[in-house]
Amino acid sequence: MTGSRRKRPAEVSDAIEPPRDVELVVGVVSVTMLVEALGVLSGSDVWLLGLLVFLPGTASALCTVRQTGFVAAWTSLVVTTTAVVRAPVGGHWLDRLLLVLFTLALAVASVYACQRRIRREHEMLRLRSTAAAMQRHILHPLPLVTDDVLVNGVYEPVQEDRLVGGDIYDVVDSPFGTRVLIGDVQGKGLAAVGAAFAVIGAFREAAHREPTLTALVDALDAAVVRHNSYAEQTGDDERFVTALIIGVDAGDEVQVVNCGHIPPRLMHEGLVTTPPLDSGVPLGLAELAAEPTTVDWFDFPAGSTLLLTTDGLTETRADDGTFYPLDERLAKHLGLSPTELPRALHEDALAFTDADRRHDDIAVLTVRRSPRL
């Protein structure tokens, strides 16, 4: 039987990407030779203080603890040796002693600072690994395939250090067909993430239980209401969630319930249309609605594609305040496959705006109707 080797845990150096030992040695020796040459030419040891003693500080920001220790030891040895060898006979020794002591103190401080930095980076690596594992369970990785559709897409939180934001999506292959959810939680922060978890959990459970989309939406609304009730008790803000819930089965039409979300775009035979949908209230606000939840139907032929997105894409702004023209840009990307389209639109939106102007997560999905067999 073929044995398996356990994958080694990530080393600290894997997280910080330090320079190679050869590069470090060559760099340190080169700087030392340059400083020594300048010291000889100038006849002043100020060059050592101004240039060489800061090598350990630079290493502490870029290197491992072992490499920083090497640089600190090398610098201390060179400075001490130079201070002793070049000491003039009968000259004042206090300035050279202070130079050596300053170098030793900076060397020790650099190694300590490097240890602290690597501990923080290692902790962040563990946290990101945990967040990535949570994301795999909360937001299923794309693409997702069912008997009815192929769902692909891209999702990027606005904060790089937070892998799960306020935008949500999910796909469930239920006894009643494929149910697709895309949504956007009001606000940001951990409270918004908590509401996102509540909706996703309720969707995965109710999509298998409820035979109609209206009943499914009612279950999602109740989940947001329960979450808001708990949030009120703990002093957090209440949230609502805009959402688009889609049902696809073996028929030629698709069912859609729009809860205050951006309507989908239908792409078929080189044309892009926006199906007319009734826009209901967001999840969590059903008690304020004047009318009950309604389901819209429209043709969804085999081989056609639905584009679903959150307002992180449509509300992206250029420097002059212009919103991202989704329909115009989408028409230019019709030649791309449903697998390539979400990434292309996402990158196009990032190029459309300055990164500092991004204030929301971006989720873009394509729902491709499976061809008839």
Side-chain angles (χ1 to χ4, degrees):
M1 180 177 66
T2 303
S4 61
R5 179 177 297 178
R6 178 181 299 177
K7 182 179 180 181
R8 69 179 180 88
E11 300 290 343
V12 174
S13 59
D14 293 339
I16 62 177
E17 298 182 357
R20 293 183 300 177
D21 291 343
V22 174
E23 296 174 340
L24 178 68
V25 172
V26 171
V28 170
V29 172
S30 299
V31 172
T32 302
M33 294 176 62
L34 176 62
V35 171
E36 288 289 346
L38 293 174
V40 171
L41 294 175
S42 65
S44 173
D45 293 330
V46 174
W47 288 105
L48 294 175
L49 179 62
L51 297 175
L52 198 58
V53 298
F54 291 104
L55 276 177
T58 303
S60 69
L62 302 174
C63 302
T64 64
V65 175
R66 179 180 58 83
Q67 291 174 331
T68 303
F70 163 74
V71 175
W74 173 272
T75 304
S76 300
L77 177 62
V78 171
V79 171
T80 302
T81 302
T82 303
V84 172
V85 172
R86 294 185 182 175
V89 178
H92 194 55
W93 56 269
L94 182 59
D95 56 343
R96 297 179 179 275
L97 176 61
L98 291 177
L99 174 60
V100 172
L101 293 178
F102 179 79
T103 302
L104 293 175
L106 184 60
V108 173
S110 298
V111 173
Y112 175 73
C114 184
Q115 291 175 333
R116 291 286 302 270
R117 175 183 63 82
I118 289 182
R119 277 200 298 267
R120 289 195 300 269
E121 290 183 349
H122 199 49
E123 182 64 24
M124 285 300 301
L125 181 64
R126 289 197 297 268
L127 290 175
R128 288 186 64 84
S129 297
T130 302
M134 291 177 59
Q135 185 190 43
R136 286 193 295 270
H137 290 282
I138 296 165
L139 297 179
H140 290 153
L142 298 169
L144 295 169
V145 182
T146 70
D147 292 338
D148 306 301
V149 295
L150 165 64
V151 180
N152 214 320
V154 59
Y155 169 61
E156 180 179 307
V158 66
Q159 298 180 12
E160 293 182 357
D161 59 344
R162 194 181 71 211
L163 297 183
V164 179
D167 287 359
I168 55 176
Y169 67 84
D170 204 8
V171 180
V172 172
D173 189 7
S174 76
F176 316 104
T178 301
R179 269 80 185 272
V180 181
L181 164 72
I182 187 170
D184 188 358
V185 180
Q186 174 207 14
K188 299 178 178 65
L190 292 178
V193 175
F197 292 174
V199 174
I200 291 176
F203 177 77
R204 290 175 181 170
E205 190 274 333
H208 289 280
R209 184 190 67 233
E210 302 296 345
T212 64
L213 283 193
T214 53
L216 173 56
V217 171
D218 290 342
L220 300 183
D221 183 85
V224 177
V225 171
R226 288 193 298 269
H227 174 80
N228 286 336
S229 177
Y230 176 77
E232 184 180 6
Q233 296 174 10
T234 57
D236 292 331
D237 294 334
E238 297 183 0
R239 308 279 171 171
F240 63 79
V241 182
T242 66
L244 201 66
I245 298 91
I246 297 174
V248 183
D249 54 23
D252 293 328
E253 293 184 311
V254 61
Q255 306 176 51
V256 181
V257 176
N258 186 1
C259 300
H261 199 74
I262 300 170
R265 269 63 173 179
L266 175 64
M267 295 173 287
H268 182 58
E269 295 182 346
L271 297 177
V272 179
T273 58
T274 302
L277 303 177
D278 292 331
S279 182
V281 298
L283 300 175
L285 303 178
E287 293 183 353
L288 304 179
E291 298 180 357
T293 303
T294 58
V295 179
D296 290 294
W297 300 69
F298 59 86
D299 290 336
F300 189 30
S304 59
T305 301
L306 287 176
L307 178 76
L308 316 179
T309 182
T310 58
D311 61 10
L313 181 67
T314 58
E315 294 184 1
T316 295
R317 297 192 184 195
D319 293 338
D320 60 359
T322 304
F323 287 106
Y324 181 74
L326 175 58
D327 293 323
E328 175 185 329
R329 298 301 180 97
L330 181 58
K332 296 180 180 180
H333 290 87
L334 284 179
L336 298 178
S337 69
T339 301
E340 300 169 326
L341 181 60
R343 175 61 62 183
L345 290 176
H346 175 258
E347 293 178 352
D348 189 38
L350 294 183
F352 183 77
T353 184
D354 188 337
D356 294 335
R357 298 178 64 88
R358 280 194 60 200
H359 301 294
D360 204 355
D361 308 329
I362 293 179
V364 184
L365 302 182
T366 54
V367 181
R368 177 76 167 182
R369 164 78 87 166
S370 299
R372 295 285 184 263
L373 298 179

